[in-house]
Amino acid sequence: MGENLPSGQAGKFNKYFLYAIGEIILVVIGILIALSINNWNEERQQNSKTESLIAGLKKQTEENLVSTNWSIKQTKQVNKDIASLLLMFGKPIEKSQHSNIDSLVNQISFDFYSYLNLSTLQEAQDNGEISFIKNDSLKFLLYNTSSISRLIKEREKVINNDKNTYLVPFLYQNINRKNIQTNTNEKLKNKIGESLLNKNDYSSLLSNTKFENLVLSRYNYSEDMIGIYESLKKFLNDLLELLEGESLNK
């Protein structure tokens, strides 16, 4: 096109053409720089969100470890008390032992219970924030936390329902619950008084095969739950270690 123009006009055309090309290049470079800055800002904002999420998950996991340690401690105490009661079956019972037996019988009605606060994790799963965590091992544990919690709650429900179906009806028929509660709680005794009805005949009760089987069942369940809670503790410790590693890398 510039070849058919006079030399002066051709020179001007070439200058305009080069100028236009230069303008286009500058615009493209400007767009690329703007996109790069925008992407950098978005990445920085997302990294900030992820750091906050890691901090929140770390705090929540530490709290859940405290709660799990409490469940382990309580369940081990119940397990120990049930074992002590099992050792008394078929043996002569002295009246001086009744107060101790009241306490042990009270323990076999214990509900197995654990509590995990998963609010931060649940929110992060719902809004997709977990996917921005780069550590695959950490993401794997986080994605499995809710499932593990659900399985534990289901197991606790089965065991507690078994107690309410078999043990509790037996206790209602064969022992005086008011005496047990007031003998193990002085404040309650002052409020409602001791039962004036039949006292507990522990010599007979601890010679009852059905009761021994029910208590043994509770012992086995407590052993089961100790193992489950210990496994949960290990899982949470592994999770906390990865979360702390992520915090240090930021």
Side-chain angles (χ1 to χ4, degrees):
M1 233 165 74
E3 293 176 359
N4 298 324
L5 296 172
S7 60
Q9 291 182 350
K12 289 181 179 179
F13 176 81
N14 287 336
K15 287 181 181 179
Y16 288 136
F17 181 75
L18 291 173
Y19 177 78
I21 293 296
E23 286 291 309
I24 292 171
I25 292 173
L26 287 174
V27 170
V28 171
I29 291 174
I31 292 172
L32 291 175
I33 291 173
L35 286 173
S36 177
I37 292 173
N38 184 58
N39 289 338
W40 178 80
N41 280 331
E42 287 184 355
E43 184 177 356
R44 183 174 59 82
Q45 290 173 3
Q46 184 55 59
N47 286 339
S48 179
K49 287 182 181 179
T50 302
E51 287 178 22
S52 296
L53 173 61
I54 294 295
L57 290 171
K58 180 175 174 291
K59 182 173 183 290
Q60 189 168 265
T61 303
E62 289 170 341
E63 292 170 351
N64 287 335
L65 267 170
V66 171
S67 175
T68 300
N69 281 328
W70 179 88
S71 295
I72 292 171
K73 181 180 178 180
Q74 288 293 107
T75 307
K76 284 184 174 180
Q77 183 59 54
V78 169
N79 177 267
K80 180 180 178 182
D81 290 342
I82 295 174
S84 296
L85 184 61
L86 283 170
L87 290 172
M88 296 181 177
F89 278 86
K91 297 178 180 178
I93 303 299
E94 302 293 333
K95 191 171 182 179
S96 59
Q97 294 177 281
H98 281 209
S99 179
N100 183 43
I101 296 173
D102 282 338
S103 178
L104 297 178
V105 171
N106 204 39
Q107 283 288 67
I108 63 175
S109 300
F110 174 82
D111 271 337
F112 295 103
Y113 176 78
S114 60
Y115 174 74
L116 294 182
N117 178 8
L118 303 181
S119 57
T120 301
L121 174 61
Q122 190 61 58
E123 182 180 352
Q125 287 180 314
D126 291 343
N127 61 28
E129 287 295 316
I130 297 293
S131 63
F132 290 100
I133 295 175
K134 296 177 182 178
N135 189 319
D136 290 334
S137 297
L138 175 55
K139 282 196 289 189
F140 177 79
L141 292 187
L142 290 171
Y143 282 130
N144 281 278
T145 302
S146 296
S147 298
I148 290 172
S149 175
R150 185 169 57 254
L151 288 172
I152 292 174
K153 299 310 292 184
E154 288 174 356
R155 183 57 177 161
E156 289 170 342
K157 183 178 179 181
V158 168
I159 294 175
N160 293 332
N161 282 345
D162 180 89
K163 179 205 73 176
N164 292 329
T165 301
Y166 300 104
L167 177 64
V168 171
F170 178 89
L171 294 178
Y172 278 145
Q173 293 176 3
N174 292 276
I175 66 169
N176 188 313
R177 292 283 296 175
K178 186 179 180 183
N179 274 335
I180 288 180
Q181 288 186 290
T182 54
N183 287 341
T184 56
N185 189 326
E186 193 65 31
K187 288 184 179 179
L188 183 63
K189 181 187 290 188
N190 293 333
K191 285 183 178 180
I192 64 175
E194 291 183 287
S195 175
L196 300 179
L197 305 179
N198 60 298
K199 303 294 183 181
N200 289 316
D201 181 4
Y202 284 127
S203 294
S204 175
L205 189 65
L206 294 177
S207 299
N208 187 304
T209 302
K210 181 178 181 179
F211 184 50
E212 184 178 40
N213 288 335
L214 288 170
V215 175
L216 178 62
S217 178
R218 295 301 289 170
Y219 175 81
N220 292 335
Y221 282 140
S222 65
E223 287 275 298
D224 184 22
M225 291 313 302
I226 288 172
I228 289 174
Y229 293 149
E230 291 281 10
S231 296
L232 175 60
K233 178 181 178 179
K234 182 181 183 308
F235 175 87
L236 292 173
N237 274 320
D238 290 343
L239 177 57
L240 182 59
E241 183 178 345
L242 289 175
L243 288 167
E244 288 175 338
E246 284 297 294
S247 298
L248 293 173
N249 292 333
K250 298 302 179 183

mmCIF file with all atom_site columns, all heavy atoms in Angstrom, residues 36-48:
data_model
loop_
_atom_site.group_PDB
_atom_site.id
_atom_site.type_symbol
_atom_site.label_atom_id
_atom_site.label_alt_id
_atom_site.label_comp_id
_atom_site.label_asym_id
_atom_site.label_entity_id
_atom_site.label_seq_id
_atom_site.pdbx_PDB_ins_code
_atom_site.Cartn_x
_atom_site.Cartn_y
_atom_site.Cartn_z
_atom_site.occupancy
_atom_site.B_iso_or_equiv
_atom_site.pdbx_formal_charge
_atom_site.auth_seq_id
_atom_site.auth_comp_id
_atom_site.auth_asym_id
_atom_site.auth_atom_id
_atom_site.pdbx_PDB_model_num
ATOM 1   N N   . SER A 1 36 ? -2.244  -9.143  35.456 1.00 0.00 ? 36 SER A N   1
ATOM 2   C CA  . SER A 1 36 ? -1.264  -9.719  36.373 1.00 0.00 ? 36 SER A CA  1
ATOM 3   C C   . SER A 1 36 ? -1.448  -9.171  37.791 1.00 0.00 ? 36 SER A C   1
ATOM 4   O O   . SER A 1 36 ? -1.414  -9.919  38.774 1.00 0.00 ? 36 SER A O   1
ATOM 5   C CB  . SER A 1 36 ? 0.148   -9.426  35.872 1.00 0.00 ? 36 SER A CB  1
ATOM 6   O OG  . SER A 1 36 ? 1.115   -9.906  36.770 1.00 0.00 ? 36 SER A OG  1
ATOM 7   N N   . ILE A 1 37 ? -1.645  -7.835  37.879 1.00 0.00 ? 37 ILE A N   1
ATOM 8   C CA  . ILE A 1 37 ? -1.867  -7.203  39.183 1.00 0.00 ? 37 ILE A CA  1
ATOM 9   C C   . ILE A 1 37 ? -3.154  -7.709  39.818 1.00 0.00 ? 37 ILE A C   1
ATOM 10  O O   . ILE A 1 37 ? -3.214  -8.008  41.011 1.00 0.00 ? 37 ILE A O   1
ATOM 11  C CB  . ILE A 1 37 ? -1.905  -5.669  39.045 1.00 0.00 ? 37 ILE A CB  1
ATOM 12  C CG1 . ILE A 1 37 ? -0.520  -5.145  38.658 1.00 0.00 ? 37 ILE A CG1 1
ATOM 13  C CG2 . ILE A 1 37 ? -2.383  -5.009  40.337 1.00 0.00 ? 37 ILE A CG2 1
ATOM 14  C CD1 . ILE A 1 37 ? -0.494  -3.673  38.338 1.00 0.00 ? 37 ILE A CD1 1
ATOM 15  N N   . ASN A 1 38 ? -4.211  -7.849  38.964 1.00 0.00 ? 38 ASN A N   1
ATOM 16  C CA  . ASN A 1 38 ? -5.496  -8.341  39.463 1.00 0.00 ? 38 ASN A CA  1
ATOM 17  C C   . ASN A 1 38 ? -5.360  -9.763  39.983 1.00 0.00 ? 38 ASN A C   1
ATOM 18  O O   . ASN A 1 38 ? -5.877  -10.097 41.056 1.00 0.00 ? 38 ASN A O   1
ATOM 19  C CB  . ASN A 1 38 ? -6.534  -8.266  38.352 1.00 0.00 ? 38 ASN A CB  1
ATOM 20  C CG  . ASN A 1 38 ? -7.912  -8.663  38.833 1.00 0.00 ? 38 ASN A CG  1
ATOM 21  O OD1 . ASN A 1 38 ? -8.465  -8.076  39.755 1.00 0.00 ? 38 ASN A OD1 1
ATOM 22  N ND2 . ASN A 1 38 ? -8.480  -9.706  38.229 1.00 0.00 ? 38 ASN A ND2 1
ATOM 23  N N   . ASN A 1 39 ? -4.649  -10.603 39.198 1.00 0.00 ? 39 ASN A N   1
ATOM 24  C CA  . ASN A 1 39 ? -4.447  -11.998 39.629 1.00 0.00 ? 39 ASN A CA  1
ATOM 25  C C   . ASN A 1 39 ? -3.626  -12.060 40.915 1.00 0.00 ? 39 ASN A C   1
ATOM 26  O O   . ASN A 1 39 ? -3.885  -12.869 41.797 1.00 0.00 ? 39 ASN A O   1
ATOM 27  C CB  . ASN A 1 39 ? -3.744  -12.796 38.527 1.00 0.00 ? 39 ASN A CB  1
ATOM 28  C CG  . ASN A 1 39 ? -4.646  -13.043 37.338 1.00 0.00 ? 39 ASN A CG  1
ATOM 29  O OD1 . ASN A 1 39 ? -5.873  -13.006 37.454 1.00 0.00 ? 39 ASN A OD1 1
ATOM 30  N ND2 . ASN A 1 39 ? -4.054  -13.288 36.176 1.00 0.00 ? 39 ASN A ND2 1
ATOM 31  N N   . TRP A 1 40 ? -2.624  -11.172 40.998 1.00 0.00 ? 40 TRP A N   1
ATOM 32  C CA  . TRP A 1 40 ? -1.781  -11.137 42.192 1.00 0.00 ? 40 TRP A CA  1
ATOM 33  C C   . TRP A 1 40 ? -2.603  -10.732 43.413 1.00 0.00 ? 40 TRP A C   1
ATOM 34  O O   . TRP A 1 40 ? -2.466  -11.317 44.489 1.00 0.00 ? 40 TRP A O   1
ATOM 35  C CB  . TRP A 1 40 ? -0.639  -10.155 41.974 1.00 0.00 ? 40 TRP A CB  1
ATOM 36  C CG  . TRP A 1 40 ? 0.258   -10.029 43.173 1.00 0.00 ? 40 TRP A CG  1
ATOM 37  C CD1 . TRP A 1 40 ? 1.261   -10.868 43.554 1.00 0.00 ? 40 TRP A CD1 1
ATOM 38  C CD2 . TRP A 1 40 ? 0.199   -8.986  44.166 1.00 0.00 ? 40 TRP A CD2 1
ATOM 39  N NE1 . TRP A 1 40 ? 1.850   -10.421 44.711 1.00 0.00 ? 40 TRP A NE1 1
ATOM 40  C CE2 . TRP A 1 40 ? 1.218   -9.268  45.114 1.00 0.00 ? 40 TRP A CE2 1
ATOM 41  C CE3 . TRP A 1 40 ? -0.595  -7.854  44.339 1.00 0.00 ? 40 TRP A CE3 1
ATOM 42  C CZ2 . TRP A 1 40 ? 1.452   -8.454  46.220 1.00 0.00 ? 40 TRP A CZ2 1
ATOM 43  C CZ3 . TRP A 1 40 ? -0.358  -7.037  45.446 1.00 0.00 ? 40 TRP A CZ3 1
ATOM 44  C CH2 . TRP A 1 40 ? 0.653   -7.345  46.365 1.00 0.00 ? 40 TRP A CH2 1
ATOM 45  N N   . ASN A 1 41 ? -3.475  -9.726  43.217 1.00 0.00 ? 41 ASN A N   1
ATOM 46  C CA  . ASN A 1 41 ? -4.333  -9.278  44.319 1.00 0.00 ? 41 ASN A CA  1
ATOM 47  C C   . ASN A 1 41 ? -5.288  -10.384 44.759 1.00 0.00 ? 41 ASN A C   1
ATOM 48  O O   . ASN A 1 41 ? -5.509  -10.608 45.952 1.00 0.00 ? 41 ASN A O   1
ATOM 49  C CB  . ASN A 1 41 ? -5.132  -8.035  43.909 1.00 0.00 ? 41 ASN A CB  1
ATOM 50  C CG  . ASN A 1 41 ? -4.315  -6.766  43.995 1.00 0.00 ? 41 ASN A CG  1
ATOM 51  O OD1 . ASN A 1 41 ? -3.406  -6.685  44.811 1.00 0.00 ? 41 ASN A OD1 1
ATOM 52  N ND2 . ASN A 1 41 ? -4.618  -5.794  43.155 1.00 0.00 ? 41 ASN A ND2 1
ATOM 53  N N   . GLU A 1 42 ? -5.877  -11.070 43.768 1.00 0.00 ? 42 GLU A N   1
ATOM 54  C CA  . GLU A 1 42 ? -6.806  -12.157 44.082 1.00 0.00 ? 42 GLU A CA  1
ATOM 55  C C   . GLU A 1 42 ? -6.087  -13.290 44.812 1.00 0.00 ? 42 GLU A C   1
ATOM 56  O O   . GLU A 1 42 ? -6.615  -13.857 45.774 1.00 0.00 ? 42 GLU A O   1
ATOM 57  C CB  . GLU A 1 42 ? -7.451  -12.679 42.804 1.00 0.00 ? 42 GLU A CB  1
ATOM 58  C CG  . GLU A 1 42 ? -8.485  -11.739 42.201 1.00 0.00 ? 42 GLU A CG  1
ATOM 59  C CD  . GLU A 1 42 ? -9.170  -12.328 40.993 1.00 0.00 ? 42 GLU A CD  1
ATOM 60  O OE1 . GLU A 1 42 ? -8.771  -13.440 40.563 1.00 0.00 ? 42 GLU A OE1 1
ATOM 61  O OE2 . GLU A 1 42 ? -10.101 -11.689 40.454 1.00 0.00 ? 42 GLU A OE2 1
ATOM 62  N N   . GLU A 1 43 ? -4.882  -13.609 44.339 1.00 0.00 ? 43 GLU A N   1
ATOM 63  C CA  . GLU A 1 43 ? -4.103  -14.673 44.988 1.00 0.00 ? 43 GLU A CA  1
ATOM 64  C C   . GLU A 1 43 ? -3.718  -14.270 46.410 1.00 0.00 ? 43 GLU A C   1
ATOM 65  O O   . GLU A 1 43 ? -3.764  -15.081 47.337 1.00 0.00 ? 43 GLU A O   1
ATOM 66  C CB  . GLU A 1 43 ? -2.854  -14.978 44.167 1.00 0.00 ? 43 GLU A CB  1
ATOM 67  C CG  . GLU A 1 43 ? -2.042  -16.139 44.727 1.00 0.00 ? 43 GLU A CG  1
ATOM 68  C CD  . GLU A 1 43 ? -0.837  -16.470 43.863 1.00 0.00 ? 43 GLU A CD  1
ATOM 69  O OE1 . GLU A 1 43 ? -0.673  -15.846 42.794 1.00 0.00 ? 43 GLU A OE1 1
ATOM 70  O OE2 . GLU A 1 43 ? -0.054  -17.353 44.258 1.00 0.00 ? 43 GLU A OE2 1
ATOM 71  N N   . ARG A 1 44 ? -3.324  -12.998 46.565 1.00 0.00 ? 44 ARG A N   1
ATOM 72  C CA  . ARG A 1 44 ? -2.960  -12.505 47.896 1.00 0.00 ? 44 ARG A CA  1
ATOM 73  C C   . ARG A 1 44 ? -4.155  -12.561 48.842 1.00 0.00 ? 44 ARG A C   1
ATOM 74  O O   . ARG A 1 44 ? -4.032  -12.968 50.002 1.00 0.00 ? 44 ARG A O   1
ATOM 75  C CB  . ARG A 1 44 ? -2.435  -11.071 47.781 1.00 0.00 ? 44 ARG A CB  1
ATOM 76  C CG  . ARG A 1 44 ? -1.960  -10.465 49.094 1.00 0.00 ? 44 ARG A CG  1
ATOM 77  C CD  . ARG A 1 44 ? -1.321  -9.104  48.857 1.00 0.00 ? 44 ARG A CD  1
ATOM 78  N NE  . ARG A 1 44 ? -2.261  -8.185  48.227 1.00 0.00 ? 44 ARG A NE  1
ATOM 79  C CZ  . ARG A 1 44 ? -3.186  -7.486  48.887 1.00 0.00 ? 44 ARG A CZ  1
ATOM 80  N NH1 . ARG A 1 44 ? -3.281  -7.600  50.211 1.00 0.00 ? 44 ARG A NH1 1
ATOM 81  N NH2 . ARG A 1 44 ? -3.996  -6.670  48.250 1.00 0.00 ? 44 ARG A NH2 1
ATOM 82  N N   . GLN A 1 45 ? -5.329  -12.165 48.350 1.00 0.00 ? 45 GLN A N   1
ATOM 83  C CA  . GLN A 1 45 ? -6.543  -12.197 49.161 1.00 0.00 ? 45 GLN A CA  1
ATOM 84  C C   . GLN A 1 45 ? -6.922  -13.636 49.518 1.00 0.00 ? 45 GLN A C   1
ATOM 85  O O   . GLN A 1 45 ? -7.319  -13.914 50.650 1.00 0.00 ? 45 GLN A O   1
ATOM 86  C CB  . GLN A 1 45 ? -7.692  -11.516 48.420 1.00 0.00 ? 45 GLN A CB  1
ATOM 87  C CG  . GLN A 1 45 ? -7.537  -10.012 48.292 1.00 0.00 ? 45 GLN A CG  1
ATOM 88  C CD  . GLN A 1 45 ? -8.596  -9.385  47.407 1.00 0.00 ? 45 GLN A CD  1
ATOM 89  O OE1 . GLN A 1 45 ? -9.498  -10.066 46.915 1.00 0.00 ? 45 GLN A OE1 1
ATOM 90  N NE2 . GLN A 1 45 ? -8.486  -8.086  47.173 1.00 0.00 ? 45 GLN A NE2 1
ATOM 91  N N   . GLN A 1 46 ? -6.767  -14.537 48.523 1.00 0.00 ? 46 GLN A N   1
ATOM 92  C CA  . GLN A 1 46 ? -7.100  -15.938 48.786 1.00 0.00 ? 46 GLN A CA  1
ATOM 93  C C   . GLN A 1 46 ? -6.121  -16.549 49.782 1.00 0.00 ? 46 GLN A C   1
ATOM 94  O O   . GLN A 1 46 ? -6.516  -17.308 50.669 1.00 0.00 ? 46 GLN A O   1
ATOM 95  C CB  . GLN A 1 46 ? -7.091  -16.743 47.487 1.00 0.00 ? 46 GLN A CB  1
ATOM 96  C CG  . GLN A 1 46 ? -7.529  -18.198 47.651 1.00 0.00 ? 46 GLN A CG  1
ATOM 97  C CD  . GLN A 1 46 ? -8.887  -18.315 48.297 1.00 0.00 ? 46 GLN A CD  1
ATOM 98  O OE1 . GLN A 1 46 ? -9.871  -17.793 47.788 1.00 0.00 ? 46 GLN A OE1 1
ATOM 99  N NE2 . GLN A 1 46 ? -8.950  -18.999 49.438 1.00 0.00 ? 46 GLN A NE2 1
ATOM 100 N N   . ASN A 1 47 ? -4.835  -16.195 49.640 1.00 0.00 ? 47 ASN A N   1
ATOM 101 C CA  . ASN A 1 47 ? -3.835  -16.700 50.596 1.00 0.00 ? 47 ASN A CA  1
ATOM 102 C C   . ASN A 1 47 ? -4.145  -16.213 52.009 1.00 0.00 ? 47 ASN A C   1
ATOM 103 O O   . ASN A 1 47 ? -3.961  -16.949 52.983 1.00 0.00 ? 47 ASN A O   1
ATOM 104 C CB  . ASN A 1 47 ? -2.436  -16.261 50.182 1.00 0.00 ? 47 ASN A CB  1
ATOM 105 C CG  . ASN A 1 47 ? -1.912  -17.018 48.980 1.00 0.00 ? 47 ASN A CG  1
ATOM 106 O OD1 . ASN A 1 47 ? -2.393  -18.106 48.677 1.00 0.00 ? 47 ASN A OD1 1
ATOM 107 N ND2 . ASN A 1 47 ? -0.944  -16.443 48.277 1.00 0.00 ? 47 ASN A ND2 1
ATOM 108 N N   . SER A 1 48 ? -4.596  -14.971 52.100 1.00 0.00 ? 48 SER A N   1
ATOM 109 C CA  . SER A 1 48 ? -4.961  -14.415 53.401 1.00 0.00 ? 48 SER A CA  1
ATOM 110 C C   . SER A 1 48 ? -6.147  -15.172 54.000 1.00 0.00 ? 48 SER A C   1
ATOM 111 O O   . SER A 1 48 ? -6.171  -15.488 55.200 1.00 0.00 ? 48 SER A O   1
ATOM 112 C CB  . SER A 1 48 ? -5.299  -12.932 53.260 1.00 0.00 ? 48 SER A CB  1
ATOM 113 O OG  . SER A 1 48 ? -5.680  -12.373 54.500 1.00 0.00 ? 48 SER A OG  1
#
